[in-house]
Every structure is written in structure tokens, then in C-alpha cells.
């Protein structure tokens, strides 16, 4: 009986190459069946793109404004010594994570990339004292200063050397030698990774001219091992801090693929 009534109430079936629509009226119930495969795929593609953009934008915008402003507006007298600097920076922090964060902001803001040293291929790892005095460094200097300021703040930090994607050095294209230095910090029983070099800005090349552009990139601060491994491979496997480690061969293949997207990886170091 119900089947016969359903047959009588059937209104239309329209079929073409894209849409099959079935409209059935049963009392006050209206059922629409529209298997729009092509439209669904298009919407899914757009949704994935939007999610990727939102995720990247969200990651890029993770700056603690209060801590950033304190680091940015540090009075010069407080920068006379590491002890005075750390005391000033961490005065209103609530935990070790915020202490490491405000320290990293100060370094990214106030330490310039030593472009002449980079261009002359002078890649010596400067001691933190030299960096504090000159206010410039390459990757080793950034890492040494961060480690020392963390130690003053009571945070255990380590200097890690390895291979980085996006450095642009032709001599290290095949990663025959390590080409970068960054930090690992143990904060409240959790390991976080910091690359103060990448976080502080990037080098822009225009013909034969190079300029250093200051641009804070918080994605390289307080990063998780699973995120940082996408662009940074430690020379010592233990510093990957992952259950399943990544081989140099696998990382090299990833480098060749990602190097095509230069807009994502500007830094040379």
C-alpha cells in the first residue's frame, strides 16, 4: 500500500550528464536526492585549500603581543648584561615557556643577520659575548646567545647542528656537510625547537645584490619535533626527538621537492 502511494506521489525524475534529481512527496515529507559528484569534488578541493591557508595563517600569527612588545621596547640599559636583560624580559612571565618565548623575541628583534659574514662564507660560530656586543650573528651566534640567555633564566637549552631546507647554499646542495645550527630547549619536561635565524627574517636577492629583511616568523619558535623535521634534520639522530626517525636520504629527497617553492623558504644561512 505504501509503495503504491509512493508511486502515485512521484513527481519527476530529471537526468543529465551532471545531475540526477529525485523529488518525492509523501505527506509533508520532502526528500531530495542529489548526488552531485563533480560539485562535491570541487567543494572538497576548495575546502582543503582553505583549511591549508587558514592553518598556515594561524601558525604565522602566533605571537604573544604582550611579550613581543616588552622585548621590542626593552630599554637599552637593560641590555648591558645577560642577567639584567633576562630579569627585565621575564619580569611578568608566568612560566618557563613564556620566558623562552620572550627571550626568543628579543633575539629575533635586536640581533641582525651578519650578511657580510654570510657573503664572505665566514661561517664561524660566534660566542654569545660577541653577539651581545655586535648585535649581529649568523646561525651559530643566534643559537649560542639563545642557549646562554635561557641558562640565565633557568631553562636548559642545547645547540644542535644539522641540515636545513631553504638555505640556498649551492655547496651544500647534496648535504655532504651540515649547513645550519639551531636550538632545542627542555621546557617543563617537553622539548621545543627554536631556530632564531629563520625566525628573525630572510635574505632577499635582487640580481647580484643581497639585503637582509627583518620579518618575525613565529613558526620557528616553540616548534614541535614533528613540525621542525619538515625543514630541519639534526646531524645526531637523537635530536630528532621522534619515535620514527627520518634518514638523510629521505630528507634530501624532500629538499629537492620543496626547493621548488622558494616563496616558502627564503632564508640563506
Amino acid at each position: 500500500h505504501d509503495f503504491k502511494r509512493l508511486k502515485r506521489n512521484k513527481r519527476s525524475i530529471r537526468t543529465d550528464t551532471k545531475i540526477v534529481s529525485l523529488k518525492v512527496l509523501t505527506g509533508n515529507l520532502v526528500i531530495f536526492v542529489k548526488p552531485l559528484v563533480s560539485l562535491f569534488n570541487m567543494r572538497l578541493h576548495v575546502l582543503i585549500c582553505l583549511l591549508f591557508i587558514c592553518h598556515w595563517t594561524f601558525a604565522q600569527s602566533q605571537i604573544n603581543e604582550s611579550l613581543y612588545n616588552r622585548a621590542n621596547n626593552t630599554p637599552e640599559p637593560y641590555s648591558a648584561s645577560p642577567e639584567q636583560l633576562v630579569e627585565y624580559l621575564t619580569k611578568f612571565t608566568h612560566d618557563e615557556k613564556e620566558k623562552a618565548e620572550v627571550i626568543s623575541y628579543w633575539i629575533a628583534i635586536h640581533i641582525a643577520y651578519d650578511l657580510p659574514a654570510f657573503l664572505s662564507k665566514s661561517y664561524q660560530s660566534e660566542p654569545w659575548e660577541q653577539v651581545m656586543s655586535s648585535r649581529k650573528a649568523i646561525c651559530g651566534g643566534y643559537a649560542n646567545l639563545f642557549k646562554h640567555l635561557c641558562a640565565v633564566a633557568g631553562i636548559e637549552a642545547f645547540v644542535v647542528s644539522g641540515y636545513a631546507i631553504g638555505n640556498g647554499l649551492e655547496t651544500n646542495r647534496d648535504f655532504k656537510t651540515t649547513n645550519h645550527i639551531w636550538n632545542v630547549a627542555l621546557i617543563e619536561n617537553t622539548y621545543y625547537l627554536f631556530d632564531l635565524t629563520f625566525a628573525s627574517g630572510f635574505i632577499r636577492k635582487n640580481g647580484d645584490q643581497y639585503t637582509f629583511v627583518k620579518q618575525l616568523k613565529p613558526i620557528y619558535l616553540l616548534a614541535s619535533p614533528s613540525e621542525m623535521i619538515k625543514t630541519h634534520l639534526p646531524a645526531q639522530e637523537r635530536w630528532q626527538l621522534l619515535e620514527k626517525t627520518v634518514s638523510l636520504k629521505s630528507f634530501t629527497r624532500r629538499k629537492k621537492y620543496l626547493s621548488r617553492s622558494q616563496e616558502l623558504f627564503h632564508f640563506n644561512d
Side-chain angles (χ1 to χ4, degrees):
H1 176 73
D2 290 338
F3 177 74
K4 290 180 179 179
R5 186 176 64 179
L6 182 62
K7 255 183 107 176
R8 287 196 303 270
N9 288 333
K10 183 173 63 176
R11 292 292 181 265
S12 66
I13 298 179
R14 182 172 64 86
T15 306
D16 56 32
T17 57
K18 294 183 178 180
I19 300 175
V20 177
S21 297
L22 175 65
K23 183 178 180 182
V24 181
L25 299 179
T26 56
N28 295 323
L29 178 63
V30 180
I31 303 175
F32 291 94
V33 181
K34 296 185 177 182
L36 308 178
V37 178
S38 60
L39 182 59
F40 174 77
N41 288 338
M42 180 183 70
R43 288 179 177 176
L44 182 61
H45 178 74
V46 172
L47 179 60
I48 292 172
C49 292
L50 288 174
L51 287 173
F52 176 80
I53 293 170
C54 290
H55 172 74
W56 181 260
T57 303
F58 180 76
Q60 290 276 19
S61 64
Q62 292 306 288
I63 298 175
N64 185 315
E65 295 294 339
S66 177
L67 296 179
Y68 177 86
N69 290 334
R70 188 161 184 83
N72 189 41
N73 299 317
T74 303
E76 187 58 34
Y78 286 100
S79 304
S81 72
E83 291 74 20
Q84 287 178 289
L85 177 61
V86 169
E87 182 180 2
Y88 171 82
L89 291 175
T90 61
K91 185 174 182 179
F92 299 109
T93 56
H94 300 92
D95 51 35
E96 287 188 350
K97 193 173 181 180
E98 288 193 352
K99 288 180 180 180
E101 187 174 5
V102 73
I103 288 172
S104 67
Y105 286 156
W106 187 90
I107 295 175
I109 294 168
H110 296 281
I111 304 301
Y113 188 74
D114 193 347
L115 191 57
F118 164 72
L119 294 176
S120 65
K121 302 187 183 300
S122 177
Y123 304 137
Q124 295 181 357
S125 181
E126 313 98 318
W128 68 263
E129 298 94 338
Q130 180 180 329
V131 177
M132 280 286 291
S133 175
S134 66
R135 297 294 178 89
K136 59 184 180 180
I138 57 173
C139 58
Y142 278 101
N144 289 333
L145 180 58
F146 179 76
K147 177 184 178 182
H148 183 73
L149 294 182
C150 281
V152 174
I155 299 171
E156 189 174 16
F158 309 87
V159 174
V160 177
S161 63
Y163 313 89
I165 292 175
N167 61 348
L169 291 179
E170 293 298 320
T171 54
N172 288 322
R173 169 175 287 182
D174 296 323
F175 288 144
K176 293 180 180 179
T177 59
T178 59
N179 66 339
H180 198 48
I181 299 174
W182 60 94
N183 295 99
V184 172
L186 181 59
I187 302 173
E188 298 166 1
N189 298 318
T190 300
Y191 285 105
Y192 293 92
L193 288 84
F194 295 76
D195 186 341
L196 273 301
T197 313
F198 279 39
S200 65
F202 62 93
I203 289 178
R204 176 177 291 151
K205 182 180 180 182
N206 185 12
D208 295 331
Q209 299 297 315
Y210 294 83
T211 56
F212 177 76
V213 180
K214 274 284 189 181
Q215 184 183 80
L216 181 62
K217 296 183 178 180
I219 58 172
Y220 296 111
L221 305 176
L222 290 166
S224 67
S226 60
E227 284 297 320
M228 193 67 95
I229 197 63
K230 296 174 183 178
T231 53
H232 294 64
L233 180 71
Q236 292 184 304
E237 191 175 272
R238 67 188 182 99
W239 286 120
Q240 291 189 28
L241 304 171
L242 299 170
E243 291 185 6
K244 186 177 181 180
T245 57
V246 177
S247 68
L248 179 58
K249 183 178 180 181
S250 174
F251 190 75
T252 303
R253 287 198 301 266
R254 183 181 301 173
K255 174 185 183 296
K256 291 178 180 178
Y257 172 76
L258 291 176
S259 63
R260 301 170 189 170
S261 303
Q262 292 300 320
E263 69 277 5
L264 296 180
F265 306 100
H266 299 290
F267 223 102
N268 296 270
D269 190 7

